[in-house]
């Protein structure tokens, strides 16, 4: 009975270790290359049995380097992934139509360089401008707190009284709601980009017009947004023209000024800040002599390997006379070596999972990658790829959720390649959305197309799409109903 209990305990321990390593592997799979780069550096810093390969050997075998003194038997946990995952060579059999580069380099060994865009944050820019204003220290402190409460779009969703209360509670600064309102209007809303500090869209647009030259068109636009904003938002233009007793030409001139305004004042800054996060493709799909070629874009990643002198540097610990210290030293050596080798193995498995998943996607979407035409996209769901590569859907989801592929027609987010089939036809909903978008963009804006009309036009092109489905796709594409798309 005791032996049976011991075996059960050992099996339970093995399952726990395998589960922990699987979780770690899935975490690595989900990471982008940028995050993985930091993870590798962090792990090497924390584990003395690891080091970075300074030569940065661009060979897939470099990631498998093992200390020649490392005894594989020391790792009693074994490799729990051998039977769980696939063999890369086996998966690539019988694919003569593709050029496969297992060494993670494209045919001409081109590399994708990372472009870094450095930019101050929106708050830093606003604080710099605030410091240049001729205001008191008290007003500066109020303004600083207000800037800290702006959302990513530059809007202020706190009322003056709430800010007044928080300044007293958090900063021990007693100010009235009227003082806060004055700083918002006279200081914050005077900063660039115009529209900062608005409480709603109407105020945001009016702030921007206030920054413009005082022309007749601008003044008329101010009046429209001030007194007829609800009608304007519903595109009830005829009602506005009649109510204001102005001509169609005058209204069009004012409308032209309004269309120049930004709905989100911090939009341009947000774009720059997002660029500074650097989008680096994880895969590169190229074309050579009419055939697709796939490579992992990871040649710039640091390579982790076992530190050859690890045991030598800690050899003195094995001569420790104190038995407990000697046992602890042996455990230290053994665990760090095992962790180091497991980490290297998981990096290798991550490459294999990513490579084979992207290969399966590339095979299913061959025509799209060869042409760059979205109409060539085939219906494809996560389950399809999971079956191709013999992995769980959750694993495929992790691979595709934040990974990008570089193509000759742009850098594409993998998840955007997935779409449902329409009925029993081999037609992607994404392709239909592309056609629908083109129809709406090219319509006569004075007589925009209704959902029923769009449905009939799609049927004429061979797509039997119901009106309700057209309405759903239109909303997903961000288009309003025909009445709200009408322009004069």
């Amino acid at each position: 009975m005791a032996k049976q209990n011991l075996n059960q305990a050992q099996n339970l321990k093995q399952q726990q270790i395998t589960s922990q390593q699987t979780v770690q592997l899935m975490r690595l799979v989900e990471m982008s290359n940028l995050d993985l780069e930091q993870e590798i550096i962090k792990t090497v810093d924390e584990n003395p049995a690891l080091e970075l390969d300074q030569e940065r050997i661009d060979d897939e075998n470099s990631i498998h380097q093992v200390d020649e003194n490392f005894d594989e038997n020391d790792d009693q946990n074994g490799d729990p992934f051998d039977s769980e995952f696939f063999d890369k060579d086996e998966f690539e059999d019988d694919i003569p139509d593709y050029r496969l580069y297992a060494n993670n380099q494209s045919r001409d060994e081109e590399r994708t360089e990372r472009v870094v865009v450095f930019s101050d944050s929106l708050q830093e820019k606003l604080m710099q401008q605030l410091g240049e204003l001729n205001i008191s220290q008290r007003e500066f402190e109020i303004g600083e707190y207000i800037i800290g409460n702006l959302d990513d779009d530059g809007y202020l969703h706190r009322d003056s009284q709430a800010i007044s209360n928080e300044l007293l509670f958090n900063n021990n600064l007693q100010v009235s709601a009227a003082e806060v309102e004055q700083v918002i209007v006279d200081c914050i809303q005077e900063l660039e980009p115009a529209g900062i500090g608005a409480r709603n869209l109407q105020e945001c647009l009016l702030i921007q017009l206030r920054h413009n030259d005082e022309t007749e068109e601008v003044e008329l636009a101010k009046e429209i947004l001030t007194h007829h904003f609800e009608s304007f938002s519903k595109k009830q233009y005829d009602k506005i023209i009649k109510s204001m007793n102005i001509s169609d030409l005058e209204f069009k001139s004012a409308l032209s000024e309004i269309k120049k305004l930004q709905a989100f004042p911090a939009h341009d800054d947000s774009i720059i800040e997002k660029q500074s996060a650097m989008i680096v493709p994880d895969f590169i799909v190229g074309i050579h002599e009419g055939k697709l070629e796939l490579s992992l874009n990871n040649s710039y990643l640091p390579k982790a390997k076992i530190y050859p002198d690890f045991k030598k540097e800690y050899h003195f610990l094995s001569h420790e006379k104190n038995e407990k210290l000697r046992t602890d030293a042996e455990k230290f050596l053994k665990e760090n070596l095992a962790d180091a080798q497991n980490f290297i193995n998981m990096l290798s498995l991550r490459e294999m999972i990513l490579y084979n998943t992207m290969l399966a996607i590339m095979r299913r979407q061959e025509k799209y990658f060869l042409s760059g035409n979205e109409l060539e996209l085939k219906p494809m769901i996560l389950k399809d790829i999971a079956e191709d590569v013999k992995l769980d859907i959750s694993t495929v989801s992790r691979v595709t959720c934040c990974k990008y592929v570089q193509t000759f027609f742009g850098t594409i987010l993998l998840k955007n390649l997935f779409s449902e089939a329409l009925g029993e036809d081999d037609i992607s909903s994404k392709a239909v959305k592309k056609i629908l978008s083109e129809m709406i963009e090219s319509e006569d804006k004075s007589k925009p197309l209704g959902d029923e009309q769009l449905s009939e036009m799609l049927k004429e092109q061979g797509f039997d799409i119901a009106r309700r489905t057209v309405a759903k796709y239109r909303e997903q594409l961000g288009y309003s109903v025909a009445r709200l798309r009408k322009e004069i």
Side-chain angles (χ1 to χ4, degrees), residues 200-217:
N200 52 56
L201 177 60
Q202 182 183 19
E203 186 178 27
C204 176
L205 299 178
L206 285 169
I207 292 170
Q208 294 175 62
L209 287 175
R210 197 171 71 206
H211 283 236
N212 291 349
D213 295 332
E214 295 183 3
T215 63
E216 291 183 10
E217 294 81 7

Side-chain angles (χ1 to χ4, degrees), residues 52 146 162 268 279 312 316 344 384 394 431 437 450:
L52 295 178
I146 293 169
D268 292 338
I279 292 179
K312 185 184 300 181
F316 69 93
I344 290 173
D384 297 330
S394 61
S437 177

Side-chain angles (χ1 to χ4, degrees), residues 433-459:
K433 288 180 183 178
K434 172 72 173 177
I435 298 172
L436 182 61
S437 177
E438 292 173 352
M439 287 179 174
I440 295 175
E441 289 295 331
S442 60
E443 69 185 359
D444 181 353
K445 298 305 179 184
S446 64
K447 297 179 181 178
L449 300 168
D451 293 338
E452 189 65 45
Q453 292 173 285
L454 291 168
S455 177
E456 291 299 324
M457 292 173 66
L458 285 169
K459 288 177 182 177

Side-chain angles (χ1 to χ4, degrees), residues 73-115:
N73 293 326
D74 284 347
D75 183 9
Q76 296 178 356
N77 301 331
D79 186 353
F81 307 112
D82 286 344
S83 59
E84 185 175 351
F85 295 97
F86 41 71
D87 180 75
K88 182 175 178 179
D89 295 329
E90 179 182 342
F91 184 77
E92 293 169 2
D93 286 346
D94 195 27
I95 315 177
D97 294 333
Y98 298 92
R99 289 178 172 268
L100 307 176
Y101 291 86
N103 64 349
N104 307 328
Q105 291 282 92
S106 60
R107 173 181 52 81
D108 54 3
E109 296 187 349
E110 291 181 352
R111 297 184 184 182
T112 301
E113 298 295 333
R114 290 177 286 176
V115 179

Side-chain angles (χ1 to χ4, degrees), residues 275-465:
Q275 285 177 336
S276 61
M278 297 182 295
I279 292 179
V280 179
D282 303 86
F283 310 94
I284 300 174
V285 172
I287 303 175
H288 177 63
E289 296 180 353
K291 305 297 182 182
L292 294 176
E293 58 182 29
L294 170 65
S295 60
L296 292 176
N297 183 36
N298 61 0
S299 58
Y300 63 87
L301 286 174
K303 308 299 180 185
K305 67 176 184 179
I306 300 296
Y307 176 43
D309 294 331
F310 173 64
K311 282 189 174 181
K312 185 184 300 181
E313 288 193 5
Y314 291 90
H315 181 69
F316 69 93
L317 294 174
S318 61
H319 299 294
E320 176 63 48
K321 294 182 179 180
N322 185 298
E323 183 178 353
K324 184 180 184 306
L325 291 178
R326 187 170 65 253
T327 301
D328 289 345
E330 291 174 354
K331 181 180 179 182
F332 168 82
L333 290 169
K334 184 176 179 180
E335 287 184 352
N336 277 284
L337 281 170
D339 289 345
Q341 188 58 49
N342 282 332
F343 182 68
I344 290 173
N345 289 343
M346 282 186 280
L347 289 177
S348 179
L349 283 168
R350 177 187 182 273
E351 284 193 352
M352 188 184 300
I353 291 171
L354 264 63
Y355 186 88
N356 284 346
T357 301
M358 185 63 226
L359 178 61
I361 294 172
M362 188 180 76
R363 293 175 68 182
R364 283 184 174 266
Q365 303 293 358
E366 178 180 13
K367 290 184 178 180
Y368 169 70
F369 283 115
L370 286 171
S371 67
N373 185 352
E374 286 190 19
L375 298 180
E376 296 286 1
L377 278 173
K378 298 295 182 183
M380 181 178 70
I381 58 177
L382 294 174
K383 182 181 178 182
D384 297 330
I385 302 303
E387 291 176 350
D388 288 348
V389 295
K390 300 178 179 60
L391 288 174
D392 289 338
I393 293 178
S394 61
T395 302
V396 176
S397 177
R398 286 184 172 93
V399 173
T400 58
C401 70
C402 59
K403 305 294 191 303
Y404 290 82
V405 55
Q406 178 181 299
T407 69
F408 76 89
F409 50 87
T411 300
I412 312 298
L413 184 62
L414 286 190
K415 71 175 184 180
N416 290 342
L417 300 178
F418 290 82
S419 62
E420 297 280 351
L422 290 175
E424 298 180 356
D425 298 325
D426 190 26
I427 301 172
S428 166
S429 59
K430 191 173 289 291
V432 174
K433 288 180 183 178
K434 172 72 173 177
I435 298 172
L436 182 61
S437 177
E438 292 173 352
M439 287 179 174
I440 295 175
E441 289 295 331
S442 60
E443 69 185 359
D444 181 353
K445 298 305 179 184
S446 64
K447 297 179 181 178
L449 300 168
D451 293 338
E452 189 65 45
Q453 292 173 285
L454 291 168
S455 177
E456 291 299 324
M457 292 173 66
L458 285 169
K459 288 177 182 177
E460 291 174 3
Q461 295 194 28
F463 303 103
D464 189 10
I465 311 297

Side-chain angles (χ1 to χ4, degrees), residues 2 9 35 47 66 87 92 104 113 123 133 137 149 153 163 205 221 247 258 268 275 288 332 397 414 421 469 475 481:
D35 292 333
N47 190 331
V66 182
D87 180 75
E92 293 169 2
N104 307 328
E113 298 295 333
Q123 288 192 352
L133 297 179
Q137 179 62 29
N149 278 274
D153 295 319
I163 294 175
L205 299 178
S247 67
I258 296 174
D268 292 338
Q275 285 177 336
H288 177 63
F332 168 82
S397 177
L414 286 190
T469 305
E475 291 174 358
V481 295

Side-chain angles (χ1 to χ4, degrees), residues 106-157:
S106 60
R107 173 181 52 81
D108 54 3
E109 296 187 349
E110 291 181 352
R111 297 184 184 182
T112 301
E113 298 295 333
R114 290 177 286 176
V115 179
V116 185
V117 180
F118 293 98
S119 171
D120 292 334
S121 70
L122 174 64
Q123 288 192 352
E124 289 173 332
K125 290 181 179 179
L126 295 176
M127 284 302 301
Q128 182 178 357
Q129 294 178 63
L130 185 68
E132 295 171 355
L133 297 179
N134 185 21
I135 58 177
S136 66
Q137 179 62 29
R138 181 183 178 85
E139 290 172 319
F140 180 85
E141 290 183 31
I142 297 171
E144 182 179 25
Y145 191 83
I146 293 169
I147 289 174
N149 278 274
L150 298 177
D151 68 12
D152 292 339
D153 295 319
Y155 280 88
L156 178 63
H157 296 295

Side-chain angles (χ1 to χ4, degrees), residues 167-293:
L167 280 168
L168 178 61
F169 183 78
N170 297 328
N171 294 27
N172 197 26
L173 183 64
Q174 187 170 358
V175 298
S176 66
E179 284 183 277
V180 173
E181 183 66 22
Q182 182 181 357
V183 172
I184 292 173
V185 175
D186 295 341
C187 299
I188 304 303
Q189 292 183 356
E190 290 300 313
L191 304 179
E192 295 290 342
I196 288 294
R199 272 65 68 91
N200 52 56
L201 177 60
Q202 182 183 19
E203 186 178 27
C204 176
L205 299 178
L206 285 169
I207 292 170
Q208 294 175 62
L209 287 175
R210 197 171 71 206
H211 283 236
N212 291 349
D213 295 332
E214 295 183 3
T215 63
E216 291 183 10
E217 294 81 7
V218 169
E219 292 304 312
L220 188 57
K222 288 180 183 177
E223 187 176 350
I224 291 171
L225 294 179
T226 301
H227 302 293
H228 305 278
F229 185 75
E230 184 176 353
S231 296
F232 178 80
S233 62
K234 295 179 180 179
K235 293 199 172 184
Q236 296 172 341
Y237 298 152
D238 293 338
K239 181 179 178 181
I240 296 173
I241 292 171
K242 183 178 179 180
S243 176
M244 295 181 65
N245 193 25
I246 58 177
S247 67
D248 289 353
L249 182 59
E250 288 175 314
F251 180 80
K252 284 184 178 180
S253 298
L255 184 61
S256 177
E257 292 296 326
I258 296 174
K259 286 183 176 180
K260 296 176 184 177
L261 308 178
Q262 288 279 359
F264 303 104
H267 179 70
D268 292 338
D269 294 89
S270 297
I271 290 175
I272 294 174
E273 289 173 34
K274 288 175 183 176
Q275 285 177 336
S276 61
M278 297 182 295
I279 292 179
V280 179
D282 303 86
F283 310 94
I284 300 174
V285 172
I287 303 175
H288 177 63
E289 296 180 353
K291 305 297 182 182
L292 294 176
E293 58 182 29

